[in-house]
Amino acid sequence: EVQLVESGGGLVKPGGSLRLSCAASGFTFSSYSMNWVRQAPGKGLEWVSSISSSSSYIYYADSVKGRFTISRDNAKNSLYLQMNSLRAEDTAVYYCARDLGSSGSRYFDLWGRGTLVTVSS
Amino acid sequence: SYVLTQPPSVSVAPGKTARITCGGNNIGSKSVHWYQQKPGQAPVLVIYYDSDRPSGIPERFSGSNSGNTATLTISRVEAGDEADYYCQVWDSSSDHLRVFGGGTKLTVL
C-alpha cells in the first residue's frame, strides 16, 4: 500500500527541539521530492519546507527559516524535520506530503495522517 | 509573497451546485490545485492543474481558472462533500513557495 506515516510529535517547551520522521512505503521514495505541511489548531494549511529527490534543492517558508532543517534518507525511505528554537506558534499537526508536478507547478498528491506538535510551558 | 483569497464559507443544498472561488493576482497564469479536508483527516487532492481530476475523484468535481479567479465546482452536492477546501499554487518566483489559500468551509444544508 502506498502510504506515508509520520512520527515524533509531542509536547515540548518553548525554545526546545523536536525531530519528526516520515516513513514512506509502497512507492519509489527516492524518485520524489517531499514536503512538510503544517496546520495549527482550527487554522488552515501552511507549507513548511520541501526537499528534492536527491536533497540537492531545499526550500523553507520564511516562518521557519533558520530554525527548521529538512532532510531525507533514501536508503531508509524516510523524511525528517529537525525543529529547533520552537515557539508557541509552531504548535500544529505536521503532515508529510509527496510532491508532484512539472517545472510549471507543483502539488501534493499523497499525504500522511500527521503528527501533533505542541509547544507549551 | 503571493496571496490566495478564499471565502471563509459556502453553503449549498443537497443536489445543487457549489462554487468555491480562489482569488489571486493574475492567477489565470498559474496552475491551481485543490484539496478537500474532512474533520480529523489529512487533506486529499481533488483537482490539479486547474481542472484535472486524480483517479478516484468523482466527475462531480471540476475546476476552472481565468483572470484573477480560480473556481472549484461541485455538482450534485452530497452530504459527504461537506469539508474544508483549499486552493494551492506554486510560486516559483518566490523561493519555490507552495502557497495555500485560507480555506473554505463547505456546508451542505
Side-chain angles (χ1 to χ4, degrees):
Chain A
E1 182 187 1
V2 176
Q3 64 176 355
L4 300 168
V5 179
E6 302 91 338
S7 60
L11 175 64
V12 60
K13 290 181 167 54
S17 298
L18 209 57
R19 189 195 197 208
L20 305 183
S21 299
C22 170
S25 59
F27 65 97
T28 306
F29 179 73
S30 60
S31 296
Y32 293 86
S33 294
M34 297 295 296
N35 299 264
W36 290 99
V37 177
R38 69 184 181 183
Q39 186 171 36
K43 302 296 185 183
L45 301 172
E46 180 189 16
W47 170 78
V48 172
S49 181
S50 70
I51 185 168
S52 63
S53 58
S54 60
S55 304
S56 299
Y57 301 97
I58 288 175
Y59 305 99
Y60 298 99
D62 286 344
S63 57
V64 306
K65 203 172 289 185
R67 300 187 299 121
F68 290 11
T69 301
I70 191 172
S71 63
R72 65 190 297 162
D73 185 337
N74 287 341
K76 294 183 178 179
N77 292 332
S78 293
L79 175 72
Y80 306 103
L81 186 67
Q82 177 66 44
M83 304 186 294
N84 298 331
S85 304
L86 283 162
R87 307 166 179 166
E89 54 265 36
D90 294 319
T91 295
V93 173
Y94 284 74
Y95 295 101
C96 168
R98 189 171 73 176
D99 197 280
L100 210 57
S102 67
S103 57
S105 190
R106 313 291 301 182
Y107 58 94
F108 312 108
D109 75 319
L110 178 67
W111 298 68
R113 289 188 161 188
T115 186
L116 176 63
V117 172
T118 303
V119 184
S120 174
S121 53
Chain B
S1 62
Y2 195 75
V3 175
L4 295 174
T5 301
Q6 297 182 237
S9 63
V10 168
S11 298
V12 63
K16 299 298 186 183
T17 297
R19 293 180 180 83
I20 298 172
T21 59
C22 176
N25 183 32
N26 197 25
I27 196 174
S29 67
K30 299 181 181 297
S31 291
V32 180
H33 318 293
W34 291 91
Y35 304 87
Q36 175 194 69
Q37 186 181 33
K38 296 182 179 178
Q41 298 184 20
V44 172
L45 178 71
V46 293
I47 292 289
Y48 63 102
Y49 287 132
D50 295 339
S51 59
D52 290 341
R53 271 179 294 103
S55 111
I57 300 301
E59 291 184 9
R60 300 185 297 104
F61 288 80
S62 63
S64 62
N65 184 18
S66 178
N68 293 316
T69 305
T71 303
L72 172 69
T73 301
I74 309 172
S75 304
R76 302 180 301 282
V77 166
E78 303 174 355
D81 297 331
E82 188 163 286
D84 293 324
Y85 291 85
Y86 296 90
C87 57
Q88 177 251 316
V89 300
W90 183 57
D91 187 9
S92 60
S93 65
S94 181
D95 224 11
H96 294 252
L97 297 180
R98 281 75 164 158
V99 181
F100 287 99
T104 298
K105 168 68 177 177
L106 176 67
T107 299
V108 181
L109 301 170

